Amino acid sequence: MAATIRRRLQRGAASTAVAALVLAALTASQAPGATEAAAARKQKPAPPADAPIDGGSTYFTDRPPLHRPAPPRDAHGTGQGTTPLGTGPAEAGLPATVLAAYKKAASAVDASDPGCRLPWQLLAGIGKVESGQARGGAVDAEGTTLQPILGPQLNGHGFARITDTDGGRYDGDLTHDRAVGPMQFIPSTWSNGGLDGTGWGADGNGDGKKDPNNIFDAALAAGRYLCAGGRDLSDQDDLDRAILGYNNSEDYLRTVLSWYTFYRHGTHEVPDGRGVLPVHRGSAGKSGGAGAGRTGSGAHHDHASGTPGGKPGKGGSGTGKPGKPGKGRHNHPGKPGGSGTGDTPGGSGTPEPKPTPGKPTPETPTGPARLTALERVGDKELSATAGTEFAASPRVRAKDAAGRAVAGAPVRFALPTSTGARFPGDATTVTVTTDKDGLATAPTLRAGDKAGAFTIRATAVGRTAPAVAFGATVKAKPAPKADKLARTSDKELTATAGQAFAEDAVEVEATYQGKIAAGAAVTATMVTDDPKKPVENDKGPYFKDHEATGDDKDKPVRTLTGLTTDADGLLKLPKIYTDMHPGTFLLRLTTADGAVLTVKLKVAAPAGS
């Protein structure tokens, strides 16, 4: 027996030696750039371990069913393709636009970083856990979510503490950050958390914008993050590190791997908005662990192979107690943490506590989950003058089905991006929590510089209650008045024919009732000296039309409109030129309020003429 074992060891050693020689020969035969590129991949710095993409936010803990989809056969017979539309188990159905985004992102990453070997099914696994595939594919034709997908406020209570980093630009929250969009990026990571300091945000659909609410943009950004640090995702350790970098939780790792394995055994395409919505929501929080949700069959999975693992322990169904781990390679012992049903699938907010019969929940006598309607409070129409603040702010009251006020409910106020109006911090969206009376009041709104009308929409975050619309009108500023014009200098204005007057030769000050008239409109005209009816002169000094093109460029212009005084009520006229006519000419300045100023311009004949 010992001799047999010895022979096996000898054969194994010989095989190892041969393999080493072959590997050395192959390595030597490669182009120099290949080994250098491989070395460079390993030298890239890894993303910071203390800055997870989703900020340790909530995630769905549902597991895939025990019954796997039948593996389709692709052109290479790998069994990792996509089955025809609508076939296979419902959990294997991926919304069409979301599926296209995952595949496009994986293809783009493969082109720029082929050594990463990013499978699109990994993006699908993360997308399932983070947002339920963008709430079952609730996206428009461009891939942007129909409603915001926001995580809970990262205020340190059960989650990481991240104070506001984006002025509410992405998450509408002016106090703390929230995870945003179908792949749940926190704003600080999206905008400035990348290796080069510019953020992981990406433009996946080529529209020139980086929007975390767009599945094409978010999927490409997630793919690049997973591949950072020279990772090879075909290596299990690199794969684990990449997923844990997204959310540093062992249970999160197991959950994502379970869906990744499930999707690798086959998926099928379903129409947008028809994807299966997950139910159980947990959170890594500061403890790094989340209660495990149950699978469709009630059994846990070995997440590396997809086969059944250990039986769940007490509380393993998502009640906040960890179930026993299975025996699979990645069924690591989970850390205890709270999980339960939070907002509607893909919604935002912390998990809601289970109500005790006859006892109100901590948030409110009715609880935010029972919010069914938003009611407008105050004026329906809001107005302000351009550049000023609106006197009143949009306000709504949250109610339940019985008409009672609902406290503690997040309400999002949104402005169209096309308008110049903004909330504090130059934000177009803000999220406000209802007070004890169920009231949510938007912060002070400032009008833009242009007149016009727009609509402000108030929606209940994560609820299906109808939105409330407020009409808003921005009125044009009244034109500043000026009843007097005067030169700031009494110096005589002279020039030689064919040359120009000195730069900024004419400066005037406008006033109204003795006070500075800022922004007053002034018209300048070269006029004849007819005292009864001065008209535009056709000779003598003139301005140039610098905005004209072609043959009209620098063409003489003797009337200028649209001139306005600055903040100090001053106006410097453009440079004045002369033709070959000598003499004394008149420049007439007027305002709409009757102010008139006549300036003499003397043009001398050229020397020796």
Side-chain angles (χ1 to χ4, degrees):
M1 183 68 176
T4 302
I5 295 174
R6 220 173 15 250
R7 283 194 299 272
R8 288 178 180 172
L9 289 173
Q10 290 169 350
R11 284 198 299 271
S15 300
T16 303
V18 171
L21 290 172
V22 171
L23 179 60
L26 288 172
T27 303
S29 66
Q30 288 180 339
T35 54
E36 292 171 4
R41 280 180 51 77
K42 293 301 180 184
Q43 290 172 359
K44 286 192 292 184
D50 59 347
I53 285 290
D54 65 5
S57 186
T58 56
Y59 57 86
F60 289 106
T61 60
D62 298 52
R63 305 293 172 88
L66 284 173
H67 174 63
R68 302 181 191 173
R73 311 302 298 179
D74 58 18
H76 303 287
T78 62
Q80 295 179 10
T82 304
T83 59
L85 180 68
T87 63
E91 291 83 355
L94 292 174
T97 301
V98 175
L99 176 60
Y102 294 150
K103 291 186 174 182
K104 183 174 182 180
S107 177
V109 172
D110 183 61
S112 61
D113 189 4
C116 176
R117 298 176 176 85
L118 170 68
W120 65 261
Q121 292 91 341
L122 177 59
L123 295 173
I126 290 175
K128 177 70 173 181
V129 173
E130 292 289 350
S131 69
Q133 311 298 14
R135 289 180 179 158
V139 297
D140 61 21
E142 304 301 321
T144 302
T145 57
L146 300 179
Q147 290 185 343
I149 300 178
L150 297 174
Q153 190 180 66
L154 299 176
N155 55 16
H157 300 302
F159 308 102
R161 177 178 173 80
I162 305 177
T163 55
D164 179 53
T165 62
D166 65 332
R169 176 184 177 187
Y170 296 116
D171 57 9
D173 195 319
L174 298 175
T175 58
H176 293 84
D177 275 351
R178 298 170 182 258
V180 179
M183 302 302 277
Q184 289 289 276
F185 277 82
I186 52 176
S188 57
T189 306
W190 183 265
S191 59
N192 58 20
L195 294 178
D196 59 358
T198 60
W200 292 101
D203 178 13
N205 60 355
D207 64 355
K209 297 183 291 185
K210 298 177 181 179
D211 183 3
N213 297 296
N214 182 277
I215 184 60
F216 288 95
D217 294 358
L220 179 58
R224 289 176 176 172
Y225 178 84
L226 293 168
C227 288
R231 293 193 184 108
D232 177 356
L233 298 183
S234 64
D235 177 86
Q236 193 63 57
D237 290 334
D238 275 3
L239 178 62
D240 288 0
R241 279 192 290 268
I243 297 172
L244 288 172
Y246 218 102
N247 187 314
N248 192 21
S249 158
E250 291 290 325
D251 188 71
Y252 179 87
L253 171 65
R254 292 193 299 271
T255 307
V256 169
L257 286 173
S258 70
W259 284 105
Y260 169 49
T261 301
F262 180 75
Y263 289 141
R264 281 180 68 87
H265 282 85
T267 60
H268 62 269
E269 180 183 306
V270 298
D272 290 342
R274 300 291 182 86
V276 174
L277 294 175
V279 176
H280 300 98
R281 180 179 280 274
S283 168
K286 284 188 175 182
S287 66
R294 294 178 68 103
T295 63
S297 62
H300 286 278
H301 283 241
D302 170 4
H303 308 305
S305 65
T307 57
K311 295 179 180 180
K314 293 181 180 180
S317 60
T319 59
K321 300 177 182 180
K324 293 181 180 180
K327 298 180 181 180
R329 183 182 186 283
H330 297 288
N331 209 344
H332 312 301
K335 298 179 182 179
S339 75
T341 305
D343 288 338
T344 54
S348 66
T350 56
E352 292 178 13
K354 266 191 174 182
T356 303
K359 182 180 179 181
T361 62
E363 292 109 323
T364 169
T366 57
R370 297 182 177 86
L371 188 157
T372 59
L374 292 178
E375 176 185 74
R376 183 187 299 107
V377 177
D379 297 335
K380 179 179 179 181
E381 298 293 330
L382 307 173
S383 64
T385 301
T388 66
E389 294 180 348
F390 281 79
S393 294
R395 174 183 283 193
V396 295
R397 176 177 281 110
K399 291 185 174 182
D400 63 11
R404 294 172 297 187
V406 177
V411 176
R412 183 174 186 261
F413 294 91
L415 309 171
T417 55
S418 56
T419 182
R422 291 293 185 269
F423 292 116
D426 201 34
T428 56
T429 61
V430 292
T431 300
V432 179
T433 303
T434 57
D435 62 17
K436 61 183 179 64
D437 297 318
L439 292 174
T441 304
T444 302
L445 178 63
R446 187 173 185 82
D449 293 330
K450 295 182 179 180
F454 60 94
T455 300
I456 306 168
R457 295 178 65 83
T459 56
V461 177
R463 303 290 170 231
T464 57
V468 173
F470 296 83
T473 303
V474 177
K475 301 175 182 178
K477 288 182 180 179
K481 295 182 178 181
D483 58 9
K484 184 178 180 181
L485 292 172
R487 282 188 64 197
T488 59
S489 171
D490 57 2
K491 184 178 180 179
E492 188 177 59
L493 300 173
T494 62
T496 301
Q499 299 180 10
F501 285 83
E503 199 81 36
D504 299 332
V506 180
E507 181 184 64
V508 297
E509 180 184 51
T511 56
Y512 181 71
Q513 295 181 354
K515 296 181 180 180
I516 290 173
V522 178
T523 298
T525 306
M526 301 293 179
V527 296
T528 62
D529 58 0
D530 185 345
K532 295 182 179 179
K533 190 177 181 181
V535 295
E536 183 181 278
N537 210 335
D538 60 356
K539 60 184 177 180
Y542 62 89
F543 304 103
K544 284 186 178 181
D545 187 358
H546 295 293
E547 296 182 359
T549 58
D551 294 338
D552 291 333
K553 185 173 178 58
D554 293 336
K555 182 179 179 181
V557 174
R558 290 188 168 86
T559 297
L560 288 181
T561 59
L563 302 172
T564 57
T565 58
D566 63 16
D568 297 320
L570 300 177
L571 170 64
K572 291 183 179 180
L573 267 63
K575 192 172 184 178
I576 300 174
Y577 300 85
T578 67
D579 56 18
M580 299 307 296
H581 293 85
T584 298
F585 299 89
L586 301 180
L587 167 63
R588 191 168 187 255
L589 304 172
T590 60
T591 70
D593 302 296
V596 178
L597 173 64
T598 302
V599 179
K600 289 184 178 181
L601 302 174
K602 293 184 178 181
V603 180
S609 62

